[in-house]
Amino acid sequence: MPSLNEVLETNRMIEQDLLDVRTITMGISLLDCASDDVSKTCNKISEKIVRTAGTLVATGEAISKDFGIPIVNKRISVTPVSLVGAGCCRSTSDFVQIAKTLDRSAKEVGVNFLGGYSALVTKGITSAERMLIESIPEALAETDIVCSSVNVGSTRTGIDMDAVRLMGKIIKQTARNTADKDSFGCAKLVVFCNAPDDNPFMAGAFHGVTEGDAVINVGVSGPGVVKAAVENVHGENFEVLCQTVKKTAFKVTRVGQLVAQEAAKRLGVPFGIVDLSLAPTPAVGDSVAQILEGMGLERVGAPGTTAALAILNDQVKKGGVMASSYVGGLSGAFIPVSEDRGMIEAAAMGALTIEKLEAMTCVCSVGLDMIAIPGDTTEETIAGIIADEAAIGMINQKTTAVRLIPVEGKNVGETVNFGGLLGYAPIMPVNTYSCADFVNRGGRIPAPIHSFKN
């Protein structure tokens, strides 16, 4: 049983330091919904989502009320749709029909987002996967809360550069199709290397084929709590700093473990993992950038930023694995620009560049996330950025991702506002020297030598 002091400390973290459970995500397998007819498949999908997740939102709200812990989002992830639709989809419009079904079903049960409009193409692309990928711009324009992801590489297989090149084109088309919403469709689209099967965070969540029929994964977040703890040891040596972050991450993860186990019990669905990622918001005091600045940086992006982020990520993981036997997903520190007030301010003043962000992704949880770039950025340049980030993930045996938003009609110096947790962002400059001849070579970048461990 938790002690009175632990209860009081948790209450303080919630009330003063913005501690919350960012998401309860129910993963649902749709493999048993596959058929040879798209209408039949859609009916099965709708029935299963509503039946399995019908009480998810109410359960999350009840747990939040009973325990006094804010639970910000309730979400669903599903089996990669390229697999579910492979036997019935004959065109991109068939896949869009499935996307619309997912959107309606998710709205019916009341969740914030649904992830899994996805394809896993690390070594090649089937005809069904190509159709799904080519349908993404229309699917994201025609739906509101469906999120999409494509995994283009892994340490084990290398990087499929044909898929990378295609995703540069798809991101540009998605931006054009949602130009009336500041290219918002791209905020719901992630390109991965080494994508995990159990990530509860959007837009990259999907229910892996190695998972069971349904599972509860929880993402807990507490940048404000870690920031307050770091500020309390200002001027202390690195040993004290690391111990402080580790102990704080332990406490934050315990909250997520409690919520995850309770949600699993009430819903009658197995508990999967706790993802202890520090996911920021645009709110004052809820910033990963400000944690790094609390370690002694004048501004995030200054020399020392990558080292500070490496400390943060490592100590968060060390503290988290002591608090839960089932830590998974991404787990570490997110560095999205538009969702983090400190990142936004640093980018706006030029302290933080895309190149520095890329260096930081070598040691953090994900990658180049929620970055607004000029609308006239070429698809080849976008593909080159994806290739760079995928290479970091492949070589370092870690998950990396790209969520770029080429905002139609906007250029460097302007700002785009997505609202809510997605925040706002300055349009960041991109290196305009061409990489077209490189990304157009086609084929695969081979897996690194250290991938061969059999």
Side-chain angles (χ1 to χ4, degrees), residues 298-323:
E298 181 180 6
R299 272 292 177 188
V300 66
T305 296
T306 305
L309 183 57
I311 291 170
L312 177 63
N313 213 56
D314 185 51
Q315 298 308 313
V316 164
K317 291 177 186 290
K318 287 175 177 173
V321 297
M322 289 296 293

Side-chain angles (χ1 to χ4, degrees), residues 112-331:
N112 307 95
F113 283 108
L114 180 146
Y117 196 75
S118 306
L120 311 178
V121 292
T122 62
K123 203 173 181 181
I125 306 177
T126 66
S127 58
E129 287 163 342
R130 183 174 293 277
M131 276 191 288
L132 180 133
I133 291 172
E134 290 177 345
S135 78
I136 287 172
E138 183 181 355
L140 295 185
E142 295 292 325
T143 60
D144 298 314
I145 59 176
V146 168
C147 294
S148 180
S149 60
V150 178
N151 193 64
V152 298
S154 73
T155 299
R156 194 70 177 169
T157 63
I159 302 170
D160 186 336
M161 287 301 293
D162 293 326
V164 169
R165 178 68 182 83
L166 178 57
M167 288 312 300
K169 175 183 176 182
I170 294 301
I171 289 171
K172 283 288 289 184
Q173 187 60 54
T174 302
R176 285 192 289 267
N177 283 20
T178 55
D180 59 328
K181 300 176 182 176
D182 282 331
S183 301
F184 176 72
C186 296
K188 301 187 293 174
L189 174 58
V190 183
V191 184
F192 275 116
C193 178
N194 289 323
D197 283 359
D198 54 6
N199 166 28
F201 285 99
M202 299 298 166
F206 62 86
H207 186 70
V209 295
T210 61
E211 302 282 338
D213 199 49
V215 69
I216 289 293
N217 297 321
V218 165
V220 63
S221 183
V225 179
V226 178
K227 174 177 175 287
V230 167
E231 289 174 346
N232 286 336
V233 294
H234 178 75
E236 297 284 355
N237 64 31
F238 283 109
E239 182 180 357
V240 173
L241 173 64
C242 291
Q243 282 292 101
T244 299
V245 174
K246 183 164 59 177
K247 289 178 180 178
T248 305
F250 175 88
K251 296 169 186 175
V252 169
T253 307
R254 293 279 285 189
V255 173
Q257 174 89 353
L258 172 67
V259 170
Q261 291 177 330
E262 187 65 22
K265 182 174 72 174
R266 295 190 188 190
L267 289 163
V269 173
F271 160 50
I273 57 94
V274 175
D275 187 318
L276 48 102
S277 295
L278 296 179
T281 74
V284 175
D286 203 26
S287 163
V288 170
Q290 289 171 359
I291 297 174
L292 304 180
E293 291 167 0
M295 291 182 179
L297 304 173
E298 181 180 6
R299 272 292 177 188
V300 66
T305 296
T306 305
L309 183 57
I311 291 170
L312 177 63
N313 213 56
D314 185 51
Q315 298 308 313
V316 164
K317 291 177 186 290
K318 287 175 177 173
V321 297
M322 289 296 293
S324 174
S325 297
Y326 296 104
V327 170
L330 299 164
S331 290

Side-chain angles (χ1 to χ4, degrees), residues 24-64:
I24 295 177
T25 300
M26 177 181 281
I28 302 174
S29 174
L30 299 183
L31 290 176
D32 56 351
C33 299
S35 74
D36 59 359
D37 179 78
V38 68
S39 296
K40 194 179 299 183
T41 298
C42 287
N43 289 336
K44 288 183 176 182
I45 288 171
S46 180
E47 187 277 330
K48 185 165 189 182
I49 288 175
V50 172
R51 169 169 48 85
T52 309
T55 60
L56 174 62
V57 172
T59 300
E61 291 172 351
I63 293 172
S64 183

Side-chain angles (χ1 to χ4, degrees), residues 7 9-24 57 59-74 112 201 218-223 225 252 255-260 279 281 286 421:
V7 173
E9 184 178 34
T10 301
N11 285 338
R12 179 189 58 76
M13 291 191 296
I14 291 169
E15 292 173 1
Q16 297 180 21
D17 301 327
L18 304 176
L19 172 64
D20 61 52
V21 170
R22 189 55 49 86
T23 180
I24 295 177
V57 172
T59 300
E61 291 172 351
I63 293 172
S64 183
K65 182 179 179 181
D66 292 347
F67 289 90
I69 299 169
I71 300 173
V72 180
N73 296 297
K74 297 86 182 173
N112 307 95
F201 285 99
V218 165
V220 63
S221 183
V225 179
V252 169
V255 173
Q257 174 89 353
L258 172 67
V259 170
T281 74
D286 203 26
L421 289 176

Side-chain angles (χ1 to χ4, degrees), residues 6 16 59 96 136 141 198 232 270 316 332 337 418 431 433 436 446 453:
E6 288 176 316
Q16 297 180 21
T59 300
V96 173
I136 287 172
D198 54 6
N232 286 336
V316 164
V337 174
F418 300 114
N431 190 317
Y433 285 96
K453 294 184 177 181

